[in-house]
Amino acid sequence: MFDDIRPYRNDEVTAVIQKLINEPALQASIAGIKLPLTYKIFPSLAKLIVKVYFKSRLRKFKCIDDIQKEVAKYLYHLIDTSCSHFSYNGISKIDPNKPSLFISNHRDIVMDVALVNLALYQSGITTVEAAVGDNLLNQPWVSDLMRLNKSFIVKRSEKTKRAMLTASKQLSSYIHYTLSENQQNIWIAQREGRAKDGIDKTNSALISMLLLNKGKETSISEYLTQLNIIPVAISYEFDPCDQDKAKELAAKEATGEYQKSENEDFDSITRGLVGKKGHVHIEFCDPILGDFEDSKAIAQAIDEKIIANYKLYDSNQKAYELLKNTEIEPSDNPLYNRLQQLTNEQKKWLLTMYANPVLAKETLNT
């Protein structure tokens, strides 16, 4: 019933890894990153080197837990090199004996869920199965990699309304089944696509999808208890992709559209992983429980918790202040260097994405 979207199981790991080892496109992708000069001059040799390396490294992986432990090592390294400080709070609000549906704001394609997972892993809590849109899985080997690391597929590219509804019902059923029957934590972003403008707002359609599996005899309050939604506020001092986002937002404002380059998502993933982020904080909020009128009311409750628990940094406050000024002057403000090489419109958007969390908190408190 869920074979086309679920993560791989332990008994599938060996076969999938062998398939990945022999995947030319994956070999080429890694060789282009790790051995760029060799790959340019001797592409076959570079791919062979990658294949031999894969064999020596990946053959030790026999189950999903082996892969998760290796990912954790890589994450520790990433945090050491890209974050000046990583912190989390609110773990006590998570009942380790009751599976949770974590819904977070969405700023980075990979790091959001990776950091949530790391916080859980360090706290002895089961890591999540993570939702990933099929729009990011343009190659079968990318899908294989994600599904090996406890990701399930969200079908976003269905062509008809009927197909989209069928996919939504399947996803809703899968999430409830995974929580209730498999006793497995789940993570999903509060909206499709990153909040490039810094406005963290839950798409009520996401909540409507979650409620599709609710029986008519079950109240919203009862179903929310079963889902055990825990909002998560993820706060980055600096966004490694902020200039790219500013350019996209400025282009959309000027022309009404923006055309992604062929490898733009992959480049964003790479930059988000290795780029400097400064301080990063994760706050786990109280569960969303009680009686709500509809999906919009639930979405609003999630938004309020995420906004209230979002950690503001000096970068947010400085951007808020700078937006009030017509001229951006050099100062000790680390945002200044990020504004270089940008047009005035692009500068406005970069500052706006950092300032919007400040505005959101002000609005929430009024």
Side-chain angles (χ1 to χ4, degrees):
M1 183 178 181
F2 305 120
D3 283 352
D4 57 334
I5 64 171
R6 64 166 175 79
Y8 288 126
R9 298 185 297 251
N10 285 332
D11 60 354
E12 298 170 308
V13 168
T14 301
V16 175
I17 284 180
Q18 189 59 48
K19 178 183 172 185
L20 287 170
I21 288 172
N22 295 310
E23 175 54 60
L26 177 57
Q27 296 166 7
S29 180
I30 300 300
I33 295 172
K34 293 295 186 181
L35 305 166
L37 184 58
T38 305
Y39 181 64
K40 184 176 181 180
I41 302 173
F42 305 109
S44 296
L45 175 61
K47 288 192 289 185
L48 179 61
I49 292 171
V50 170
K51 182 176 180 179
V52 171
Y53 176 77
F54 276 174
K55 279 187 175 180
S56 66
R57 293 287 293 167
L58 300 183
R59 65 185 178 186
K60 66 179 182 179
F61 298 142
K62 305 298 182 185
C63 64
I64 300 300
D65 191 53
D66 291 340
I67 295 169
Q68 291 261 293
K69 288 176 180 177
E70 189 69 16
V71 170
K73 292 178 186 176
Y74 183 58
L75 272 177
Y76 283 126
H77 173 72
L78 271 180
I79 288 172
D80 285 342
T81 56
S82 71
C83 302
S84 56
H85 184 67
F86 171 58
S87 60
Y88 54 87
N89 188 47
I91 288 292
S92 61
K93 298 170 183 175
I94 303 170
D95 181 351
N97 299 312
K98 182 176 176 58
S100 302
L101 172 55
F102 298 100
I103 299 182
S104 80
N105 55 331
H106 193 26
R107 299 301 182 83
D108 186 88
I109 295 172
V110 173
M111 286 303 292
D112 292 346
V113 64
L115 292 172
V116 168
N117 255 343
L118 188 59
L120 297 175
Y121 181 81
Q122 289 182 337
S123 305
I125 298 174
T126 304
T127 56
V128 301
E129 283 190 13
V132 58
D134 62 1
N135 56 302
L136 297 174
L137 310 177
N138 56 353
Q139 298 285 343
W141 61 265
V142 178
S143 177
D144 286 340
L145 280 175
M146 299 299 288
R147 294 174 73 184
L148 276 177
N149 193 33
K150 293 179 68 174
S151 291
F152 60 93
I153 310 304
V154 178
K155 297 177 183 177
R156 291 176 176 153
S157 50
E158 301 289 9
K159 303 302 183 184
T160 67
K161 289 184 177 180
R162 177 185 289 273
M164 282 300 301
L165 178 58
T166 300
S168 294
K169 287 181 177 179
Q170 181 193 35
L171 181 61
S172 181
S173 178
Y174 176 77
I175 289 173
H176 185 262
Y177 175 85
T178 301
L179 290 166
S180 60
E181 300 299 325
N182 290 351
Q183 295 289 291
Q184 168 65 56
N185 292 325
I186 283 181
W187 171 90
I188 193 166
Q190 68 178 169
R191 50 172 286 176
E192 177 184 344
R194 294 166 291 166
K196 296 171 185 175
D197 56 5
I199 297 176
D200 298 318
K201 186 171 181 59
T202 304
N203 187 349
S204 60
L206 168 68
I207 309 302
S208 297
M209 178 276 294
L210 293 173
L211 297 179
L212 283 174
N213 195 60
K214 180 182 75 66
K216 292 182 178 180
E217 71 285 352
T218 305
S219 68
I220 288 180
S221 177
E222 291 171 330
Y223 202 68
L224 286 177
T225 299
Q226 295 174 26
L227 293 177
N228 193 33
I229 296 173
I230 294 183
V232 184
I234 307 175
S235 313
Y236 295 89
E237 183 180 13
F238 296 108
D239 183 341
C241 300
D242 53 8
Q243 291 183 328
D244 295 329
K245 291 178 181 179
K247 291 174 182 177
E248 177 179 338
L249 291 168
K252 285 183 176 178
E253 183 180 48
T255 66
E257 61 181 7
Y258 175 78
Q259 188 66 42
K260 282 186 180 182
S261 61
E262 182 179 354
N263 297 314
E264 188 164 334
D265 284 334
F266 184 77
D267 292 341
S268 294
I269 289 172
T270 304
R271 194 171 294 111
L273 286 171
V274 304
K276 301 298 182 183
K277 306 167 188 64
H279 289 224
V280 180
H281 181 74
I282 292 178
E283 188 74 28
F284 295 95
C285 308
D286 291 313
I288 301 293
L289 300 171
D291 196 19
F292 291 87
E293 181 179 354
D294 53 24
S295 58
K296 290 183 179 180
I298 297 170
Q300 183 177 343
I302 293 171
D303 293 345
E304 289 173 355
K305 288 186 182 293
I306 289 176
I307 292 168
N309 288 280
Y310 190 94
K311 183 178 178 64
L312 295 178
Y313 294 105
D314 189 58
S315 56
N316 303 112
Q317 299 290 355
K318 288 290 186 181
Y320 180 71
E321 295 168 9
L322 286 170
L323 272 178
K324 299 176 181 178
N325 301 323
T326 55
E327 297 293 330
I328 308 298
E329 297 295 339
S331 69
D332 59 354
N333 178 10
L335 275 178
Y336 178 75
N337 290 333
R338 310 178 87 84
L339 296 170
Q340 304 311 300
Q341 314 302 322
L342 297 181
T343 66
N344 286 335
E345 283 304 305
Q346 292 166 355
K347 288 177 181 178
K348 182 199 74 172
W349 276 113
L350 187 141
L351 292 174
T352 297
M353 72 177 69
Y354 283 102
N356 271 334
V358 180
L359 292 168
K361 277 187 180 286
E362 286 186 351
T363 302
L364 184 64
N365 295 326
T366 55

